[in-house]
Amino acid sequence: MSPGTVNTEGGRSMPGDAKAPVSKEPSMEMQKEMIAGHFRQLGRAGQEGRKVVYTFVPGNLTELMGAFGCLPVLPEINALQSAMRKKSAGYIATAEKAGHSEDVCTYVKCDIGMLKSGNTGPTGEPLPKPDLLLLSYTGCFTFMKWFELLKEEYDCPVTMLHVPYQGDGKITDEMVAYVVEQLRETVIPAFEKVTGRAFDEAELSRRLALSAMAEEDFVSVLESARARPSPIDAYFGGVYYIGPIFTSFRGTDEAIRYYAAVREEVAGRISRGEGPITPDGPMGEQKFRLVVEGPPNWTSFREFWKMFASEGAVFVASTYTKVGGLYDRGFRHDPEKPLETLARYCLGCYTNLSLPARIGLIEEYVKKYEADGFLIHSVKSCNSFSAGQLLMLRELESRTGLAGGFIESDLVDPRYFSAANVRNRIESYLQMIDQKRSHSKAAS
Ligand code: SF4
């Protein structure tokens, strides 16, 4: 084991590397403990009289929930955590036996299967029932169908925040006013009714100020990937870094401590000229700097990561780490305008962007991070993300002049992760980048 790496798996075997120790950056351990602590808190919610709100990651209203003393449950996080712990296949089978088609998003089936199997969360803690279903609608129609299913299971109120789609690639004042009005007239009264508390705007502002501080450090971590070698993997490492800020920790002192620690850890690697820690230890020579579109595969997460790291490929930017907010484009929660800032946050999530806006963002990343290529990981489950990705590929190739790669698998259904196929596609793609580089060197 190298300095700064931690074997956290206690010898547990991982796919393709039986009994190999797994290396992690120290802040990943801190993040893991924060998330586990949240699940423990959820397990105690009933005894402690805490109200529980089920909601989604994109467009989450974490600071508002916190201001009412509520605890969030995020079903997508349960699904991906279950997949990383090899529990999703069983849950999906349970949901399919109950009649959910093979074509339904596997996040939904994993969640429904978990619920039908006793609603024990991924860490083994029982999940409390919701006191409120808060449907924050940002770009994905499946969110609505998902919460219709949960409404059939739970006897609790549902409130919806309708976030208008950024069809023209911009947020207008009218869109902001529309969301603010819903917050004021519908969402806040629903929280007041469920919790029996009056809305405390000063408490919301206090939390938003804490969010902005953490967001500053978070962006600095993302932008550290401009360095050579990149001290982070902005996709595989990136999903650890987004964990607290995209889930239940925005607006807390814990988030501030965590992002300050990650920033310091990353600054240390830059000063030593080191790359990120991969599952096999510190990354060696970085031969390929890549930008990636689409979520990772969760059932074979480390195996997937190693397929790139072993070839010297590092991700310097990803769109997936923007589904819960595009902070690197300058957005910060503003405590001076509490409801307006929540509206702008929801409107700005990556899931709410049009196809041209997504293409523009990837093109910007390719230039900003001086990437050698870009890759699209298309997942079968997700119609919202996957529709139009081939068009994105062609358009980006023509705009950047770089080779694009395209691979397919799924989020949490292991039936759709074919390791041999994925590895072949990755190796061929990286060879293509190499060949292009040799040709342009020879021509110059
Ligand atoms: S379809 Fe995509 S965006 Fe919608 S819930 Fe499933 S994974 Fe999330």
Side-chain angles (χ1 to χ4, degrees), residues 89-310:
Y91 292 152
I92 290 167
T94 303
E96 287 182 357
K97 268 187 214 140
H100 296 280
S101 141
E102 209 180 305
D103 290 329
V104 170
C105 169
T106 51
Y107 270 179
V108 181
K109 285 189 289 187
C110 186
D111 187 45
I112 297 293
M114 187 182 79
L115 192 159
K116 298 280 181 202
S117 313
N119 218 24
T120 299
T123 57
E125 304 281 342
L127 283 176
K129 289 182 179 174
D131 296 289
L132 177 70
L133 293 170
L134 170 59
L135 170 53
S136 180
Y137 180 85
T138 47
C140 172
F141 188 69
T142 303
F143 285 169
M144 288 178 69
K145 305 314 283 177
W146 195 341
F147 267 31
E148 276 176 21
L149 292 167
L150 294 191
K151 186 170 163 36
E152 285 171 13
E153 300 286 337
Y154 297 116
D155 181 23
C156 77
V158 185
T159 190
M160 177 167 169
L161 179 69
H162 176 237
V163 179
Y165 186 60
Q166 276 198 50
D168 294 330
K170 57 177 189 280
I171 298 173
T172 64
D173 290 346
E174 289 74 21
M175 289 157 90
V176 175
Y178 173 65
V179 177
V180 167
E181 188 185 337
Q182 293 175 74
L183 289 170
R184 198 173 277 129
E185 307 291 329
T186 310
V187 176
I188 290 175
F191 272 99
E192 289 182 321
K193 197 165 172 198
V194 162
T195 61
R197 286 193 195 185
F199 172 49
D200 181 347
E201 190 169 308
E203 174 60 12
L204 174 61
S205 289
R206 185 187 73 80
R207 288 173 179 264
L208 291 166
L210 297 179
S211 296
M213 288 165 72
E215 287 156 7
E216 208 57 43
D217 282 341
F218 171 57
V219 170
S220 161
V221 170
L222 293 179
E223 295 192 332
S224 70
R226 294 174 82 168
R228 283 175 187 264
S230 170
I232 63 165
D233 186 292
Y235 190 40
F236 296 109
V239 300
Y240 285 89
Y241 309 142
I242 60 176
I245 213 157
F246 280 12
T247 62
S248 27
F249 292 91
R250 238 179 27 240
T252 67
D253 291 323
E254 275 173 288
I256 291 182
R257 280 195 294 276
Y258 170 74
Y259 286 101
V262 184
R263 186 175 183 166
E264 201 184 318
E265 187 177 291
V266 167
R269 287 203 293 275
I270 292 181
S271 67
R272 295 189 297 274
E274 291 173 2
I277 311 291
T278 74
D280 283 331
M283 188 170 184
E285 189 194 350
Q286 295 182 2
K287 299 183 200 149
F288 306 96
R289 293 167 63 85
L290 303 177
V291 172
V292 60
E293 146 77 8
N297 168 275
W298 299 109
T299 48
S300 300
F301 181 79
R302 291 197 183 92
E303 190 181 10
F304 193 33
W305 185 351
K306 286 176 179 190
M307 287 178 190
F308 293 95
S310 62

Side-chain angles (χ1 to χ4, degrees), residues 76 105 107-108 140 142-143 146 351 381-385 411:
E76 314 101 298
C105 169
Y107 270 179
V108 181
C140 172
T142 303
F143 285 169
W146 195 341
T351 51
S381 274
C382 184
N383 294 328
S384 302
F385 262 92
L411 295 161

